[in-house]
Amino acid sequence: SQQGEEDPQALSIQEGENATMNCSYKTSINNLQWYRQNSGRGLVHLILIRSNEREKHSGRLRVTLDTSKKSSSLLITASRAADTASYFCATDDQAGTALIFGKGTTLSVSS
Amino acid sequence: DGGITQSPKYLFRKEGQNVTLSCEQNLNHDAMYWYRQDPGQGLRLIYYSQIVNDFQKGDIAEGYSVSREKKESFPLTVTSAQKNPTAFYLCASKTWSTEAFFGQGTRLTVV
């Protein structure tokens, strides 16, 4: 399987704290994407970082990519209860064909 | 409104029965994907298609079949050969090297 891994599997924090999730993948990539899933719903795209980029920001989100280590991290700053969800990374292979997801991190933010 | 639609939202299958899950998109995307999600798990790729009349197996294609007769449609059939079909099924579409858009999912239960 080409499936990647997120770490940690579960994360519980207080509102206002930062949340960091890590993703490792196995093959060469064209880009890496992060998605959010609320329970029982479809996934929503958060941010895409290309293989020639090292860091990207979007609002309270910061994503880094280290292609030499085949890893990425997602930082959510000043978390809110509404950020409670599962977060997945996905890799778009170099041919841009298959989109492979990791197993996800479940984030719980308590007020 | 542009988007991707899955139907039905809930589906019940009897033992030995084939069932078909619908996925339609009006985003003019070339690529479409089917994923299976089990409770507390990540997304596993079943099948994907980059172009009409062509599709490739993902990691867990056994017991499933697909067709891509139109760009807008990518139905998934869960056959009687799939021994453990109870899961949440997600369909997605995208263009090359961009983010994916997901439907709201179909929850399939064997009764």
Side-chain angles (χ1 to χ4, degrees):
Chain A
S1 169
Q2 303 172 54
Q3 194 170 30
E5 297 281 341
E6 278 95 338
D7 169 52
Q9 288 189 335
L11 181 60
S12 293
I13 59 175
Q14 299 284 325
E15 265 193 329
E17 294 181 338
N18 295 343
T20 300
M21 293 160 250
N22 303 297
C23 166
S24 60
Y25 58 92
K26 298 178 181 179
T27 63
S28 296
I29 62 171
N30 181 282
N31 63 64
L32 186 143
Q33 304 169 32
W34 284 91
Y35 290 81
R36 167 193 168 124
Q37 183 183 35
N38 287 89
S39 181
R41 305 296 298 274
L43 277 70
V44 175
H45 177 259
L46 296 175
I47 195 164
L48 180 152
I49 186 165
R50 302 200 181 277
S51 59
N52 61 352
E53 297 175 311
R54 291 298 168 258
E55 188 171 312
K56 202 162 185 180
H57 297 255
S58 177
R60 293 185 295 114
L61 306 180
R62 172 180 169 254
V63 168
T64 62
L65 178 64
D66 187 335
T67 53
S68 66
K69 295 181 179 178
K70 289 187 168 58
S71 68
S72 173
S73 67
L74 171 67
L75 169 67
I76 304 174
T77 60
S79 61
R80 306 165 181 168
D83 293 328
T84 294
S86 292
Y87 292 82
F88 296 90
C89 70
T91 52
D92 209 0
D93 67 10
Q94 284 192 322
T97 54
L99 185 62
I100 304 297
F101 282 81
K103 296 182 180 179
T105 293
T106 299
L107 174 65
S108 177
V109 182
S110 54
S111 54
Chain B
D1 285 336
I4 180 165
T5 303
Q6 288 186 244
S7 61
K9 190 172 182 179
Y10 299 97
L11 187 57
F12 298 91
R13 191 193 95 165
K14 295 181 180 178
E15 294 282 350
Q17 191 179 46
N18 292 357
V19 291
T20 297
L21 285 60
S22 171
C23 180
E24 303 275 336
Q25 55 99 359
N26 60 4
L27 299 166
N28 198 33
H29 287 166
D30 290 312
M32 297 187 74
Y33 303 81
W34 274 106
Y35 295 92
R36 170 180 172 142
Q37 187 176 32
D38 293 284
Q41 301 297 310
L43 279 68
R44 292 185 290 169
L45 183 62
I46 306 173
Y47 269 99
Y48 63 102
S49 168
Q50 297 295 313
I51 195 169
V52 173
N53 293 323
D54 189 40
F55 46 83
Q56 288 77 41
K57 293 182 180 179
D59 292 331
I60 57 165
E62 186 173 351
Y64 300 97
S65 66
V66 293
S67 63
R68 187 86 186 275
E69 297 177 0
K70 298 186 301 181
K71 187 175 186 177
E72 301 79 15
S73 178
F74 191 41
L76 173 74
T77 296
V78 184
T79 74
S80 57
Q82 173 49 245
K83 298 306 179 188
N84 183 23
T86 294
F88 189 50
Y89 291 87
L90 287 159
C91 179
S93 71
K94 66 191 287 292
T95 56
W96 185 83
S97 196
T98 64
E99 71 270 25
F101 290 78
F102 279 81
Q104 289 302 302
T106 293
R107 191 166 298 281
L108 174 62
T109 304
V110 174
V111 296

